[in-house]
Amino acid sequence: MKEQKIIYYKDELNDEFSGPKITPIKIDENYKYKHGKIWNICSYIIQNFLSMPIKVLYNKLKFRLKYVGKEKIKPYKKQGYFIYANHTQQFADTFIPSVAIYPKRNFLIVNPENISVKPFGKLVEMLGAIPVPGNKTAMKNFLEEIQTKIKNKNTITIYPEAHIWPYYTHIRPFKSVSFKYPVELNAPLFCITNTYQKCGKNKIKIVSYIDGPFFADKSLSKKEQKESLRNKVYECMVERSKNSNIEKIKYIKN
């Protein structure tokens, strides 16, 4: 491994280290979350056939990816559910859950920046990206699309940390807001914790731990259900993150 890089940060909730700043497109009432039959067929082919060999090879060749706990999701192959994962890679983070749950289709809730680079924005959408809405009208359409995906027995991946910190080996604090989806839809959720571990001399591999299912406690208020789910997932991911044993990039609070 090359000399360790150091990144200084100020705000664990809002700092972003994914690369150049991208001007996001506006996700308003004019944005189409639902598409026609031809779009959906093309999306399915691109997402689950054409891109899958690339995802598998990228994960294996670059990161020597290993899953731990894949058997936990097998009983849920005939229903929709949510996946929560830490956010430490630009491409691998989107590939890891998709490969783990294949042949189910996996969709990803993303920031608008992810679909804003021309001419690749539409391709990213076809690969499963669902951008966060920018106003109340768009939010209604967004929530309907989330509900449809889960009803159709797909999975939806959410990155509660929101921002990419490359090769970060801990779990950043995250809010409970994104846990409203499994609460509202009464859907199970799993978490995937991506850890960085030594592999041979000066090499790194990703070991992804799958945990769950987690369910909302219906004896609590909806607000309490979100907080409870958030805490369970956060504590589980923190514990799993302790399996990281190598730091390619060191993060220091400034």
Side-chain angles (χ1 to χ4, degrees), residues 39-123:
W39 167 284
N40 289 327
I41 291 172
C42 291
S43 174
Y44 177 71
I45 292 171
I46 291 171
Q47 189 179 7
N48 266 36
F49 290 98
L50 299 182
S51 69
M52 192 54 63
I54 297 172
K55 295 173 183 176
V56 173
L57 286 173
Y58 181 87
N59 287 343
K60 283 292 183 182
L61 296 178
K62 185 171 177 62
F63 293 111
R64 300 166 181 82
L65 177 68
K66 177 184 176 182
Y67 292 102
V68 176
K70 276 183 71 173
E71 71 281 356
K72 297 171 185 175
I73 61 178
K74 287 183 180 179
Y76 296 85
K77 61 184 179 181
K78 293 185 178 180
Q79 71 179 94
Y81 54 83
F82 292 89
I83 298 171
Y84 288 74
N86 54 327
H87 212 4
T88 62
Q89 291 291 327
Q90 190 168 11
F91 299 114
D93 281 359
T94 66
F95 297 169
I96 288 169
S98 298
V99 173
I101 59 90
Y102 186 79
K104 288 174 75 71
R105 292 184 73 184
N106 180 56
F107 294 85
L108 311 107
I109 295 180
V110 303
N111 289 322
E113 288 89 342
N114 289 273
I115 64 165
S116 299
V117 178
K118 295 180 180 181
F120 303 108
K122 293 300 179 185
L123 176 60

Coordinates of all heavy atoms in Angstrom, one line a residue, residues 39-123:
W39 N -39.0 1.9 -21.3 CA -37.9 2.3 -20.4 C -37.7 1.3 -19.4 O -36.5 0.9 -19.1 CB -38.4 3.6 -19.7 CG -37.5 4.0 -18.5 CD1 -37.5 3.4 -17.3 CD2 -36.5 5.0 -18.4 NE1 -36.6 4.0 -16.4 CE2 -35.9 5.0 -17.1 CE3 -36.0 5.9 -19.4 CZ2 -34.9 5.8 -16.7 CZ3 -35.0 6.8 -19.0 CH2 -34.4 6.7 -17.7
N40 N -38.7 0.7 -18.8 CA -38.6 -0.3 -17.7 C -37.9 -1.6 -18.2 O -37.1 -2.2 -17.5 CB -39.9 -0.6 -17.1 CG -40.5 0.5 -16.3 OD1 -39.7 1.3 -15.7 ND2 -41.8 0.7 -16.3
I41 N -38.2 -2.0 -19.4 CA -37.6 -3.2 -20.0 C -36.1 -2.9 -20.2 O -35.2 -3.7 -19.9 CB -38.3 -3.6 -21.3 CG1 -39.7 -4.1 -21.1 CG2 -37.4 -4.6 -22.1 CD1 -40.5 -4.3 -22.3
C42 N -35.8 -1.7 -20.8 CA -34.4 -1.4 -21.0 C -33.6 -1.3 -19.7 O -32.5 -1.8 -19.6 CB -34.3 -0.1 -21.8 SG -34.9 -0.1 -23.5
S43 N -34.3 -0.7 -18.7 CA -33.6 -0.5 -17.4 C -33.3 -1.9 -16.8 O -32.3 -2.1 -16.2 CB -34.6 0.3 -16.5 OG -34.0 0.3 -15.2
Y44 N -34.3 -2.8 -16.9 CA -34.1 -4.2 -16.4 C -32.9 -4.9 -17.0 O -32.1 -5.5 -16.3 CB -35.4 -5.0 -16.6 CG -35.3 -6.4 -16.1 CD1 -35.2 -6.7 -14.7 CD2 -35.3 -7.4 -17.0 CE1 -35.1 -8.0 -14.3 CE2 -35.2 -8.8 -16.6 CZ -35.1 -9.0 -15.2 OH -35.0 -10.3 -14.8
I45 N -32.9 -4.8 -18.3 CA -31.8 -5.4 -19.1 C -30.4 -4.9 -18.7 O -29.5 -5.6 -18.5 CB -32.0 -5.3 -20.6 CG1 -33.3 -6.1 -21.0 CG2 -30.8 -5.8 -21.4 CD1 -33.7 -5.9 -22.5
I46 N -30.4 -3.5 -18.6 CA -29.1 -2.9 -18.3 C -28.7 -3.2 -16.8 O -27.5 -3.5 -16.5 CB -29.2 -1.3 -18.5 CG1 -29.3 -1.0 -20.0 CG2 -28.0 -0.6 -17.9 CD1 -29.6 0.4 -20.3
Q47 N -29.7 -3.1 -16.0 CA -29.4 -3.2 -14.5 C -29.1 -4.7 -14.1 O -28.1 -4.9 -13.4 CB -30.7 -2.8 -13.7 CG -30.5 -2.7 -12.2 CD -31.7 -2.2 -11.6 OE1 -32.8 -2.0 -12.2 NE2 -31.6 -1.9 -10.3
N48 N -29.8 -5.6 -14.6 CA -29.7 -7.0 -14.1 C -28.9 -8.0 -15.1 O -28.6 -9.1 -14.7 CB -31.0 -7.6 -13.8 CG -31.4 -7.4 -12.3 OD1 -31.0 -6.4 -11.8 ND2 -32.1 -8.4 -11.8
F49 N -28.6 -7.5 -16.3 CA -27.9 -8.4 -17.2 C -26.6 -7.7 -17.7 O -25.5 -8.3 -17.5 CB -28.8 -8.8 -18.4 CG -29.9 -9.7 -18.0 CD1 -31.2 -9.2 -17.7 CD2 -29.7 -11.0 -17.8 CE1 -32.2 -10.0 -17.3 CE2 -30.7 -11.9 -17.5 CZ -32.0 -11.4 -17.2
L50 N -26.7 -6.6 -18.4 CA -25.5 -6.0 -19.1 C -24.5 -5.5 -18.0 O -23.3 -5.7 -18.2 CB -25.9 -4.9 -20.0 CG -26.9 -5.3 -21.2 CD1 -27.2 -4.0 -22.0 CD2 -26.2 -6.4 -22.0
S51 N -25.0 -4.9 -16.9 CA -24.0 -4.3 -16.0 C -23.6 -5.3 -14.9 O -22.5 -5.1 -14.3 CB -24.7 -3.1 -15.3 OG -25.7 -3.6 -14.4
M52 N -24.3 -6.4 -14.7 CA -23.9 -7.3 -13.6 C -22.5 -7.9 -13.7 O -21.8 -8.0 -12.7 CB -25.0 -8.4 -13.5 CG -24.9 -9.2 -12.2 SD -24.9 -8.2 -10.7 CE -26.5 -7.5 -10.8
P53 N -22.1 -8.4 -14.9 CA -20.7 -8.9 -15.0 C -19.7 -7.8 -14.6 O -18.6 -8.1 -14.0 CB -20.5 -9.3 -16.5 CG -21.9 -9.6 -16.9 CD -22.8 -8.6 -16.2
I54 N -19.9 -6.6 -15.0 CA -19.0 -5.5 -14.7 C -19.0 -5.3 -13.2 O -17.9 -5.1 -12.6 CB -19.5 -4.2 -15.4 CG1 -19.4 -4.3 -16.9 CG2 -18.6 -3.0 -14.9 CD1 -20.0 -3.2 -17.6
K55 N -20.1 -5.3 -12.5 CA -20.2 -5.2 -11.1 C -19.4 -6.3 -10.3 O -18.6 -6.0 -9.4 CB -21.6 -5.2 -10.6 CG -22.5 -4.0 -11.1 CD -23.9 -4.2 -10.7 CE -24.8 -3.1 -11.3 NZ -26.2 -3.3 -11.0
V56 N -19.6 -7.5 -10.8 CA -19.0 -8.6 -10.1 C -17.5 -8.6 -10.3 O -16.7 -8.7 -9.3 CB -19.5 -10.0 -10.7 CG1 -18.7 -11.1 -10.2 CG2 -21.0 -10.1 -10.3
L57 N -17.0 -8.3 -11.5 CA -15.6 -8.3 -11.8 C -14.9 -7.1 -11.1 O -13.8 -7.2 -10.6 CB -15.3 -8.1 -13.3 CG -15.6 -9.4 -14.1 CD1 -15.5 -9.1 -15.6 CD2 -14.6 -10.5 -13.7
Y58 N -15.6 -5.9 -11.1 CA -15.0 -4.8 -10.4 C -14.8 -5.1 -8.9 O -13.7 -4.8 -8.4 CB -15.9 -3.6 -10.6 CG -15.4 -2.3 -9.9 CD1 -14.6 -1.4 -10.6 CD2 -15.8 -1.9 -8.7 CE1 -14.1 -0.3 -10.1 CE2 -15.4 -0.7 -8.1 CZ -14.5 0.1 -8.8 OH -14.1 1.2 -8.2
N59 N -15.8 -5.6 -8.3 CA -15.7 -5.9 -6.9 C -14.6 -7.0 -6.6 O -13.9 -6.8 -5.6 CB -17.1 -6.5 -6.3 CG -18.1 -5.4 -6.2 OD1 -17.8 -4.2 -6.2 ND2 -19.4 -5.8 -6.2
K60 N -14.5 -8.0 -7.4 CA -13.5 -9.0 -7.2 C -12.1 -8.6 -7.5 O -11.2 -8.8 -6.7 CB -13.9 -10.3 -8.1 CG -15.1 -11.1 -7.5 CD -14.7 -11.8 -6.2 CE -15.8 -12.7 -5.7 NZ -15.4 -13.3 -4.4
L61 N -11.9 -7.9 -8.6 CA -10.6 -7.6 -9.1 C -10.0 -6.4 -8.3 O -8.8 -6.4 -7.9 CB -10.6 -7.2 -10.6 CG -10.9 -8.4 -11.5 CD1 -11.0 -7.9 -13.0 CD2 -10.0 -9.6 -11.3
K62 N -10.8 -5.4 -8.0 CA -10.3 -4.2 -7.3 C -10.3 -4.4 -5.8 O -9.4 -4.0 -5.1 CB -11.1 -3.0 -7.6 CG -10.6 -1.7 -7.0 CD -11.3 -0.5 -7.6 CE -10.8 0.8 -6.9 NZ -9.3 1.0 -7.2
F63 N -11.3 -5.1 -5.2 CA -11.4 -5.2 -3.8 C -11.4 -6.6 -3.2 O -11.6 -6.7 -2.0 CB -12.7 -4.4 -3.3 CG -12.7 -3.0 -3.6 CD1 -13.5 -2.4 -4.5 CD2 -11.8 -2.1 -2.8 CE1 -13.4 -1.0 -4.8 CE2 -11.8 -0.8 -3.1 CZ -12.6 -0.2 -4.0
R64 N -11.4 -7.6 -4.1 CA -11.4 -9.0 -3.6 C -12.6 -9.2 -2.6 O -12.4 -9.7 -1.5 CB -10.1 -9.3 -2.9 CG -8.8 -9.2 -3.8 CD -7.6 -9.2 -3.0 NE -6.4 -9.0 -3.9 CZ -6.0 -7.9 -4.3 NH1 -6.6 -6.8 -4.0 NH2 -4.9 -7.8 -5.1
L65 N -13.7 -8.7 -3.0 CA -14.9 -8.6 -2.1 C -15.3 -10.0 -1.6 O -15.4 -11.0 -2.3 CB -16.1 -8.0 -2.9 CG -17.4 -7.9 -2.2 CD1 -17.3 -6.9 -1.0 CD2 -18.5 -7.6 -3.1
K66 N -15.6 -9.9 -0.3 CA -16.2 -11.1 0.4 C -17.4 -10.7 1.2 O -17.4 -9.7 1.9 CB -15.1 -11.7 1.3 CG -15.6 -12.9 2.1 CD -14.6 -13.4 3.1 CE -15.1 -14.6 3.9 NZ -14.1 -15.0 4.9
Y67 N -18.5 -11.5 1.1 CA -19.7 -11.3 1.8 C -19.7 -12.2 3.0 O -19.3 -13.4 3.0 CB -20.9 -11.6 1.0 CG -21.2 -10.6 -0.1 CD1 -20.9 -11.0 -1.4 CD2 -21.7 -9.4 0.1 CE1 -21.1 -10.1 -2.5 CE2 -22.0 -8.5 -0.9 CZ -21.7 -8.9 -2.2 OH -21.9 -8.0 -3.3
V68 N -20.2 -11.7 4.1 CA -20.4 -12.5 5.3 C -21.9 -12.3 5.7 O -22.3 -11.2 6.0 CB -19.5 -12.1 6.5 CG1 -19.8 -12.9 7.8 CG2 -18.0 -12.3 6.1
G69 N -22.7 -13.4 5.7 CA -24.1 -13.2 6.2 C -25.1 -13.2 5.1 O -26.3 -12.9 5.3
K70 N -24.7 -13.6 3.8 CA -25.7 -13.6 2.7 C -26.9 -14.5 3.0 O -28.0 -14.2 2.4 CB -25.0 -14.0 1.4 CG -24.3 -12.9 0.7 CD -23.7 -13.3 -0.6 CE -24.7 -13.6 -1.6 NZ -24.1 -13.9 -3.0
E71 N -26.7 -15.5 3.8 CA -27.8 -16.4 4.1 C -29.0 -15.7 4.8 O -30.1 -16.2 4.7 CB -27.3 -17.6 4.9 CG -26.9 -17.3 6.3 CD -25.6 -16.7 6.5 OE1 -24.8 -16.5 5.6 OE2 -25.3 -16.3 7.7
K72 N -28.7 -14.6 5.4 CA -29.8 -13.9 6.2 C -30.8 -13.3 5.3 O -32.0 -13.1 5.7 CB -29.1 -12.8 7.1 CG -28.2 -13.4 8.1 CD -27.4 -12.2 8.8 CE -26.4 -12.8 9.8 NZ -25.6 -11.8 10.4
I73 N -30.5 -13.0 4.0 CA -31.4 -12.4 3.1 C -32.2 -13.4 2.3 O -33.2 -13.0 1.7 CB -30.7 -11.4 2.2 CG1 -29.7 -12.1 1.3 CG2 -30.1 -10.2 3.0 CD1 -29.0 -11.1 0.3
K74 N -31.8 -14.6 2.3 CA -32.4 -15.6 1.4 C -33.9 -15.8 1.7 O -34.7 -16.0 0.8 CB -31.7 -17.0 1.5 CG -30.3 -17.0 0.8 CD -29.7 -18.3 0.8 CE -28.3 -18.3 0.1 NZ -27.6 -19.6 0.2
P75 N -34.3 -15.9 3.0 CA -35.8 -16.1 3.3 C -36.7 -14.9 2.8 O -37.9 -15.1 2.8 CB -35.8 -16.2 4.8 CG -34.4 -16.6 5.2 CD -33.5 -15.9 4.3
Y76 N -36.1 -13.8 2.4 CA -36.8 -12.6 2.0 C -36.8 -12.4 0.5 O -37.1 -11.3 0.0 CB -36.3 -11.4 2.8 CG -36.6 -11.6 4.2 CD1 -35.7 -12.2 5.1 CD2 -37.8 -11.1 4.8 CE1 -35.9 -12.4 6.4 CE2 -38.0 -11.3 6.2 CZ -37.1 -11.9 7.0 OH -37.4 -12.1 8.3
K77 N -36.4 -13.4 -0.3 CA -36.3 -13.2 -1.7 C -37.6 -13.0 -2.4 O -37.6 -12.5 -3.6 CB -35.6 -14.4 -2.3 CG -36.3 -15.8 -2.2 CD -35.5 -16.9 -2.8 CE -36.2 -18.2 -2.6 NZ -35.3 -19.3 -3.1
K78 N -38.7 -13.3 -1.8 CA -40.0 -13.1 -2.4 C -40.8 -11.8 -1.8 O -42.0 -11.7 -2.0 CB -40.9 -14.3 -2.2 CG -40.4 -15.5 -3.0 CD -41.3 -16.7 -2.8 CE -40.8 -17.9 -3.7 NZ -41.8 -19.1 -3.6
Q79 N -40.0 -10.9 -1.2 CA -40.7 -9.7 -0.8 C -39.7 -8.5 -0.8 O -38.4 -8.7 -1.0 CB -41.2 -9.8 0.7 CG -40.1 -9.9 1.8 CD -40.7 -10.0 3.1 OE1 -40.9 -11.1 3.6 NE2 -41.1 -8.9 3.7
G80 N -40.2 -7.3 -0.8 CA -39.3 -6.1 -0.9 C -38.8 -5.8 0.5 O -39.4 -6.0 1.5
Y81 N -37.6 -5.2 0.5 CA -37.0 -4.7 1.7 C -36.0 -3.6 1.5 O -35.6 -3.4 0.3 CB -36.4 -5.9 2.5 CG -35.4 -6.7 1.8 CD1 -34.0 -6.3 1.7 CD2 -35.7 -7.9 1.2 CE1 -33.1 -7.1 1.1 CE2 -34.8 -8.7 0.5 CZ -33.5 -8.3 0.5 OH -32.6 -9.1 -0.2
F82 N -35.6 -3.0 2.6 CA -34.6 -1.9 2.5 C -33.2 -2.4 2.9 O -33.1 -3.3 3.8 CB -35.0 -0.7 3.4 CG -36.3 0.0 2.9 CD1 -37.5 -0.5 3.2 CD2 -36.2 1.0 2.0 CE1 -38.7 0.2 2.8 CE2 -37.3 1.7 1.5 CZ -38.6 1.2 1.9
I83 N -32.2 -1.8 2.4 CA -30.8 -2.1 2.8 C -30.2 -0.7 3.1 O -30.2 0.2 2.4 CB -30.0 -2.7 1.6 CG1 -30.6 -4.1 1.2 CG2 -28.5 -2.9 2.0 CD1 -30.0 -4.6 -0.1
Y84 N -29.5 -0.7 4.3 CA -28.8 0.5 4.7 C -27.3 0.1 4.8 O -26.9 -0.9 5.3 CB -29.3 0.9 6.1 CG -30.6 1.5 6.1 CD1 -31.8 0.7 6.0 CD2 -30.8 2.9 6.2 CE1 -33.0 1.3 5.9 CE2 -32.1 3.5 6.2 CZ -33.2 2.6 6.0 OH -34.5 3.2 6.0
A85 N -26.5 1.0 4.2 CA -25.1 0.7 4.1 C -24.2 2.0 4.3 O -24.7 3.1 4.1 CB -24.8 0.2 2.7
N86 N -23.0 1.7 4.8 CA -22.1 2.9 5.0 C -21.6 3.3 3.6 O -21.6 2.5 2.6 CB -20.9 2.5 5.9 CG -20.2 1.2 5.6 OD1 -20.7 0.3 5.0 ND2 -18.9 1.2 5.9
H87 N -21.1 4.5 3.5 CA -20.8 5.1 2.2 C -19.4 5.5 2.1 O -18.9 6.6 2.5 CB -21.7 6.4 2.1 CG -22.2 6.7 0.7 ND1 -21.9 5.9 -0.4 CD2 -22.9 7.7 0.1 CE1 -22.4 6.4 -1.5 NE2 -23.0 7.5 -1.2
T88 N -18.6 4.6 1.5 CA -17.1 4.8 1.4 C -16.5 4.6 0.1 O -15.3 4.7 -0.1 CB -16.4 3.8 2.4 OG1 -16.7 2.5 2.1 CG2 -16.9 4.1 3.9
Q89 N -17.4 4.3 -1.0 CA -16.8 4.1 -2.3 C -17.9 4.7 -3.3 O -19.1 4.6 -3.1 CB -16.6 2.7 -2.6 CG -15.4 2.0 -1.9 CD -14.1 2.6 -2.3 OE1 -13.9 2.9 -3.5 NE2 -13.2 2.6 -1.4
Q90 N -17.4 5.3 -4.4 CA -18.3 5.8 -5.4 C -19.0 4.8 -6.2 O -20.2 4.9 -6.4 CB -17.5 6.8 -6.3 CG -18.3 7.6 -7.2 CD -17.6 8.7 -7.9 OE1 -16.3 8.7 -7.9 NE2 -18.3 9.6 -8.6
F91 N -18.3 3.8 -6.6 CA -18.9 2.7 -7.5 C -19.2 1.4 -6.7 O -20.3 0.9 -6.8 CB -18.0 2.4 -8.7 CG -17.7 3.6 -9.6 CD1 -16.5 4.1 -9.7 CD2 -18.8 4.1 -10.3 CE1 -16.3 5.2 -10.5 CE2 -18.6 5.2 -11.1 CZ -17.3 5.7 -11.2
A92 N -18.2 1.0 -5.9 CA -18.4 -0.3 -5.2 C -19.6 -0.3 -4.3 O -20.3 -1.3 -4.1 CB -17.2 -0.6 -4.4
D93 N -19.9 0.9 -3.7 CA -21.0 1.0 -2.8 C -22.4 0.7 -3.4 O -23.3 0.1 -2.8 CB -21.1 2.4 -2.1 CG -20.2 2.6 -1.0 OD1 -19.4 1.6 -0.7 OD2 -20.1 3.7 -0.4
T94 N -22.5 1.0 -4.7 CA -23.7 0.7 -5.5 C -23.7 -0.7 -6.0 O -24.8 -1.3 -6.1 CB -23.9 1.7 -6.6 OG1 -22.8 1.5 -7.6 CG2 -23.8 3.1 -6.2
F95 N -22.5 -1.2 -6.2 CA -22.4 -2.6 -6.8 C -22.6 -3.7 -5.7 O -23.2 -4.7 -5.9 CB -21.0 -2.8 -7.4 CG -20.7 -2.0 -8.6 CD1 -19.5 -1.9 -9.1 CD2 -21.7 -1.2 -9.2 CE1 -19.2 -1.1 -10.2 CE2 -21.4 -0.4 -10.3 CZ -20.1 -0.4 -10.8
I96 N -22.1 -3.4 -4.5 CA -22.1 -4.4 -3.4 C -23.5 -5.0 -3.1 O -23.7 -6.2 -3.1 CB -21.4 -3.9 -2.2 CG1 -19.8 -3.9 -2.5 CG2 -21.6 -4.8 -1.0 CD1 -19.0 -3.2 -1.5
P97 N -24.5 -4.1 -2.8 CA -25.8 -4.6 -2.5 C -26.5 -5.3 -3.7 O -27.2 -6.2 -3.5 CB -26.6 -3.4 -2.0 CG -25.8 -2.2 -2.5 CD -24.4 -2.6 -2.6
S98 N -26.3 -4.7 -4.9 CA -26.9 -5.3 -6.1 C -26.4 -6.7 -6.3 O -27.2 -7.5 -6.7 CB -26.6 -4.4 -7.3 OG -27.1 -3.1 -7.1
V99 N -25.2 -7.0 -6.1 CA -24.6 -8.3 -6.4 C -25.1 -9.2 -5.3 O -25.5 -10.4 -5.5 CB -23.1 -8.3 -6.4 CG1 -22.5 -9.7 -6.5 CG2 -22.6 -7.5 -7.6
A100 N -25.2 -8.7 -4.0 CA -25.6 -9.6 -2.9 C -27.0 -10.1 -3.0 O -27.3 -11.2 -2.6 CB -25.4 -8.8 -1.6
I101 N -27.9 -9.3 -3.6 CA -29.3 -9.7 -3.6 C -29.8 -10.3 -5.0 O -30.9 -10.6 -5.1 CB -30.2 -8.5 -3.2 CG1 -30.1 -7.3 -4.1 CG2 -29.9 -8.1 -1.8 CD1 -30.9 -7.3 -5.3
Y102 N -28.8 -10.3 -5.9 CA -29.2 -10.8 -7.3 C -29.8 -12.2 -7.2 O -29.4 -13.0 -6.4 CB -27.9 -10.8 -8.1 CG -28.1 -11.2 -9.6 CD1 -28.5 -10.2 -10.5 CD2 -27.9 -12.4 -10.0 CE1 -28.8 -10.5 -11.8 CE2 -28.1 -12.8 -11.4 CZ -28.6 -11.8 -12.2 OH -28.8 -12.1 -13.6
P103 N -30.9 -12.4 -8.0 CA -31.4 -11.7 -9.1 C -32.5 -10.7 -8.9 O -33.1 -10.2 -9.8 CB -32.0 -12.8 -10.0 CG -32.5 -13.8 -9.0 CD -31.5 -13.8 -7.9
K104 N -32.8 -10.4 -7.6 CA -33.7 -9.3 -7.3 C -33.1 -8.0 -7.8 O -31.9 -7.8 -8.0 CB -33.9 -9.1 -5.8 CG -34.7 -10.2 -5.1 CD -34.7 -10.1 -3.6 CE -35.7 -9.0 -3.2 NZ -37.1 -9.3 -3.4
R105 N -34.0 -7.0 -8.2 CA -33.5 -5.7 -8.6 C -33.3 -4.8 -7.4 O -34.1 -4.8 -6.5 CB -34.6 -5.1 -9.6 CG -34.7 -5.8 -10.9 CD -35.7 -5.1 -11.8 NE -35.1 -3.8 -12.4 CZ -35.7 -3.0 -13.1 NH1 -37.0 -3.2 -13.4 NH2 -35.1 -1.9 -13.6
N106 N -32.2 -4.1 -7.5 CA -31.9 -3.2 -6.4 C -31.9 -1.8 -6.9 O -31.3 -1.4 -7.9 CB -30.5 -3.5 -5.8 CG -30.1 -2.6 -4.7 OD1 -30.8 -2.5 -3.7 ND2 -29.0 -1.9 -4.8
F107 N -32.6 -0.9 -6.1 CA -32.7 0.5 -6.5 C -32.0 1.3 -5.3 O -31.8 0.8 -4.2 CB -34.1 1.0 -6.6 CG -34.8 0.3 -7.8 CD1 -35.4 -0.9 -7.7 CD2 -34.8 1.0 -9.1 CE1 -36.0 -1.5 -8.8 CE2 -35.4 0.4 -10.2 CZ -36.0 -0.9 -10.1
L108 N -31.5 2.5 -5.7 CA -30.7 3.3 -4.7 C -31.2 4.7 -4.6 O -31.4 5.4 -5.6 CB -29.2 3.3 -5.2 CG -28.6 1.9 -5.6 CD1 -28.4 1.8 -7.1 CD2 -27.3 1.7 -4.9
I109 N -31.4 5.1 -3.4 CA -31.8 6.5 -3.1 C -30.5 7.3 -3.2 O -29.6 7.1 -2.4 CB -32.5 6.7 -1.8 CG1 -33.9 5.9 -1.9 CG2 -32.7 8.2 -1.5 CD1 -34.7 6.0 -0.6
V110 N -30.4 8.3 -4.1 CA -29.2 9.1 -4.3 C -29.5 10.6 -4.2 O -30.6 11.0 -4.4 CB -28.6 8.7 -5.6 CG1 -28.3 7.2 -5.7 CG2 -29.4 9.1 -6.8
N111 N -28.4 11.3 -4.0 CA -28.5 12.8 -4.2 C -28.6 13.1 -5.7 O -28.1 12.4 -6.5 CB -27.2 13.5 -3.6 CG -27.2 13.4 -2.1 OD1 -28.2 13.5 -1.4 ND2 -26.0 13.1 -1.5
P112 N -29.3 14.2 -6.0 CA -29.5 14.6 -7.4 C -28.2 14.8 -8.2 O -28.2 14.6 -9.4 CB -30.2 16.0 -7.3 CG -30.9 15.9 -6.0 CD -30.0 15.1 -5.1
E113 N -27.0 15.0 -7.5 CA -25.8 15.1 -8.2 C -25.4 13.9 -9.0 O -24.8 13.9 -10.0 CB -24.6 15.4 -7.2 CG -24.7 16.8 -6.6 CD -25.5 17.0 -5.4 OE1 -26.4 16.1 -5.1 OE2 -25.3 17.9 -4.6
N114 N -25.9 12.7 -8.5 CA -25.5 11.5 -9.1 C -26.1 11.3 -10.5 O -25.7 10.4 -11.3 CB -26.0 10.3 -8.2 CG -25.1 10.2 -6.9 OD1 -24.1 9.6 -6.9 ND2 -25.5 10.9 -5.9
I115 N -27.2 12.0 -10.8 CA -27.8 11.8 -12.1 C -27.7 13.1 -12.9 O -28.4 13.3 -13.9 CB -29.3 11.5 -12.0 CG1 -30.1 12.6 -11.3 CG2 -29.5 10.1 -11.2 CD1 -31.6 12.4 -11.4
S116 N -26.8 14.0 -12.5 CA -26.7 15.3 -13.1 C -25.6 15.5 -14.1 O -25.4 16.6 -14.7 CB -26.5 16.4 -12.0 OG -27.6 16.4 -11.1
V117 N -24.8 14.5 -14.3 CA -23.6 14.6 -15.3 C -24.1 14.1 -16.6 O -24.5 12.9 -16.8 CB -22.4 13.7 -14.8 CG1 -21.3 13.8 -15.8 CG2 -22.0 14.2 -13.4
K118 N -24.1 15.0 -17.6 CA -24.5 14.6 -19.0 C -23.3 13.9 -19.7 O -22.2 14.4 -19.5 CB -25.0 15.8 -19.7 CG -26.2 16.4 -19.2 CD -26.7 17.6 -20.0 CE -28.0 18.3 -19.4 NZ -28.4 19.4 -20.2
P119 N -23.5 12.9 -20.5 CA -24.8 12.3 -20.9 C -25.2 11.1 -20.1 O -26.0 10.3 -20.5 CB -24.6 11.9 -22.4 CG -23.1 11.5 -22.3 CD -22.4 12.4 -21.3
F120 N -24.6 10.9 -18.9 CA -24.7 9.7 -18.1 C -25.8 9.7 -17.2 O -26.1 8.6 -16.6 CB -23.4 9.4 -17.4 CG -22.2 9.4 -18.3 CD1 -21.2 10.4 -18.3 CD2 -22.0 8.3 -19.2 CE1 -20.1 10.4 -19.1 CE2 -20.9 8.3 -20.0 CZ -19.9 9.3 -20.0
G121 N -26.5 10.8 -17.0 CA -27.6 10.9 -16.0 C -28.7 9.8 -16.2 O -29.1 9.1 -15.3
K122 N -29.1 9.7 -17.4 CA -30.2 8.7 -17.7 C -29.7 7.3 -17.5 O -30.5 6.4 -17.1 CB -30.7 8.9 -19.2 CG -31.4 10.3 -19.4 CD -32.6 10.4 -18.5 CE -33.3 11.7 -18.7 NZ -34.5 11.9 -17.7
L123 N -28.5 7.0 -17.9 CA -27.9 5.7 -17.7 C -27.9 5.3 -16.2 O -28.3 4.2 -15.8 CB -26.5 5.6 -18.2 CG -25.8 4.2 -18.0 CD1 -26.6 3.1 -18.6 CD2 -24.4 4.3 -18.6

